[in-house]
């Protein structure tokens, strides 16, 4: 994929940047990225256009249309094609950096937004048998498969575009941290996704963030991504995912290029560590105080 993503800046105030970078993958497929200076999450958003409908996957991390004119950008991309198609807005999952732009679309005509709760995802994306079934969205001569991938988030889904062979993996698989809330669900999702793509052509696996540089160093919470590695992962990376997640200790692990983390468990561990340290300090101070009192014998 021949694209250089904007790397943000060490000092965004001195280096104003376009809020959204648009990459035209082909005439009917666009990759949008919110600028690092507008949000350090810099999420990727995907627009897929069929004969009768357009599909937007995720709405990014910034709600304010003045800072991040996402709906305006998407609508003008659709209008530039000369046809007015209804738009369906879906998400990979419900974390705020993937749905903050929803309100920009709510006020528009001919737009339907699928909420991120599990009931809506199941019923609106046609997945009766969660998480083992596969849903479909028909955009008119372009069918998108919806693959349940809970683990990072309970109602997380991935999307597979039969036309381009692109697999949109959200935060389930991306070059960076794999944040896993539920290891068993995530491992089952990795196996499900690997099995799904095994007999299908996959051009690229496209996640929702890039958090690594070319040398494998992780970018964390920074608005400057020099030498960022490419967005795209491969079918082979997806096939290898079950082996990466399998045996994860539920806290932290470095596997291949990925950092596997369960942030909830790490927070609990830190809290327990802090409480133990506090109790130890109190006990030491109490012992010290008693010793001082007993050694201060009145004359
Ligand atoms: Zn997420």
């Amino acid at each position: 994929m021949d694209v250089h993503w904007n790397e943000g800046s060490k000092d965004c105030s001195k280096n104003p940047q376009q809020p959204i970078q648009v990459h035209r993958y082909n005439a009917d497929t666009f990759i949008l990225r919110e600028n690092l200076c507008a949000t350090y999450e810099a999420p990727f958003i995907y627009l897929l256009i069929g004969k009768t409908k357009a599909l937007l996957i995720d709405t990014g991390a910034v709600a304010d249309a003045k800072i991040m004119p996402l709906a305006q950008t998407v609508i003008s991309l659709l209008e530039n094609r000369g046809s007015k198609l209804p738009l369906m807005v879906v998400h990979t999952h419900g974390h705020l950096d993937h749905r903050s732009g929803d309100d920009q679309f709510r006020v528009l005509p001919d737009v339907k937004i699928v909420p991120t709760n599990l009931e809506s995802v199941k019923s609106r994306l046609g997945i009766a048998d969660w998480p083992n079934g596969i849903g479909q969205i028909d955009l008119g001569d372009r069918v998108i498969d919806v693959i349940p991938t809970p683990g990072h988030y309970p109602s997380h889904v991935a999307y597979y575009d039969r036309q381009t062979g692109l697999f949109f993996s959200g935060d389930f698989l991306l070059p960076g941290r794999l944040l896993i809330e539920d290891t068993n669900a995530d491992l089952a999702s990795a196996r499900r996704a690997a099995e799904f793509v095994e007999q299908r052509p996959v051009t690229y696996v496209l996640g929702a963030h890039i958090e690594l540089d070319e040398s494998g160093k992780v970018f964390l919470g920074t608005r400057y991504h020099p030498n960022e590695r490419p967005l795209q992962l491969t079918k082979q990376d997806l096939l290898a995912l079950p082996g990466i997640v399998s045996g994860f200790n539920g806290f932290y692990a470095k596997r291949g290029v990925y950092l596997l983390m369960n942030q909830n468990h790490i927070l609990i561990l830190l809290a327990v560590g802090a409480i133990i340290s506090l109790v130890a300090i109190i006990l030491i101070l109490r012992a010290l105080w008693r010793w001082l009192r007993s050694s201060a014998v009145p004359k």
Side-chain angles (χ1 to χ4, degrees):
M1 201 156 62
D2 188 21
V3 53
H4 174 78
W5 299 110
N6 197 321
E7 62 189 23
S9 174
K10 272 186 201 158
D11 186 351
C12 288
S13 64
K14 290 201 183 113
N15 186 6
Q17 310 196 351
Q18 287 294 318
I20 306 177
Q21 182 175 355
V22 178
H23 173 64
R24 180 182 179 278
Y25 181 80
N26 67 26
D28 299 320
T29 309
F30 295 87
I31 304 176
L32 289 71
R33 189 191 201 183
E34 294 191 338
N35 189 273
L36 279 155
C37 281
T39 162
Y40 68 86
E41 298 278 6
F44 289 87
I45 296 165
Y46 301 96
L47 177 63
L48 314 178
I49 304 167
K51 291 270 182 296
T52 56
K53 209 196 280 186
L55 183 75
L56 188 71
I57 302 175
D58 285 350
T59 63
V62 183
D64 190 342
K66 289 195 274 306
I67 297 168
M68 186 61 66
L70 178 66
Q72 189 197 317
T73 303
V74 168
I75 296 304
S76 64
L77 284 171
L78 291 175
E79 283 175 356
N80 285 347
R81 305 172 74 258
S83 54
K84 254 193 107 208
L85 292 177
L87 175 69
M88 182 178 186
V89 176
V90 296
H91 310 84
T92 54
H93 64 294
H95 285 149
L96 269 179
D97 53 322
H98 301 264
R99 62 180 172 88
S100 287
D102 279 13
D103 282 347
Q104 294 185 23
F105 292 90
R106 257 181 254 284
V107 291
L108 300 177
D110 277 340
V111 177
K112 289 209 168 71
I113 303 173
V114 178
T116 56
N117 64 75
L118 185 56
E119 279 317 305
S120 299
V121 170
K122 277 161 64 178
S123 64
R124 302 278 293 277
L125 303 182
I127 308 167
D129 177 21
W130 180 274
N132 295 307
I134 304 291
Q136 269 94 39
I137 304 168
D138 190 351
L139 305 178
D141 284 348
R142 188 175 193 179
V143 175
I144 312 298
D145 292 298
V146 189
I147 305 101
T149 46
H152 171 77
Y153 189 89
S155 62
H156 195 295
V157 292
Y159 298 88
Y160 173 74
D161 176 18
R162 297 182 193 178
Q163 192 180 87
T164 58
L166 293 173
F167 188 98
F168 303 99
S169 53
D171 284 1
F172 165 65
L173 176 59
L174 55 82
R177 291 170 306 153
L178 305 185
L179 304 178
I180 299 172
E181 267 184 26
D182 181 336
T183 304
N184 289 337
D186 202 79
L187 179 57
S189 293
R191 289 182 175 140
R192 189 179 309 112
E195 191 187 324
F196 178 87
V197 297
E198 195 146 33
Q199 304 299 329
R200 290 173 169 86
V202 176
T203 43
Y204 297 121
V205 175
L206 302 177
H209 309 272
I210 304 172
E211 296 182 336
L212 297 175
D213 75 4
E214 288 281 10
S215 72
K217 199 183 86 195
V218 182
F219 296 116
L220 271 187
T222 168
R223 294 172 188 275
Y224 182 46
H225 283 198
N227 303 314
E228 195 179 60
R229 63 142 285 157
L231 165 67
Q232 61 269 27
L233 294 166
T234 63
K235 175 174 176 171
Q236 205 49 45
D237 294 321
L238 190 46
L239 291 174
L241 190 59
I244 301 265
V245 177
S246 171
F248 174 51
N249 63 16
F251 288 95
Y252 180 91
K254 178 100 173 77
R255 297 266 175 89
V257 300
Y258 313 104
L259 274 183
L260 278 63
M261 295 169 77
N262 183 320
Q263 286 181 308
N264 296 340
H265 287 175
I266 290 172
L267 281 177
I268 291 169
L269 199 67
L270 289 175
V272 169
I275 291 168
I276 289 173
S277 310
L278 198 64
V279 170
I281 289 168
I282 290 170
L283 289 177
I284 290 167
L285 286 176
R286 198 175 70 160
L288 196 64
W289 181 68
R290 283 186 175 170
W291 178 77
L292 283 174
R293 257 189 21 164
S294 63
S295 56
V297 185
K299 289 193 177 132

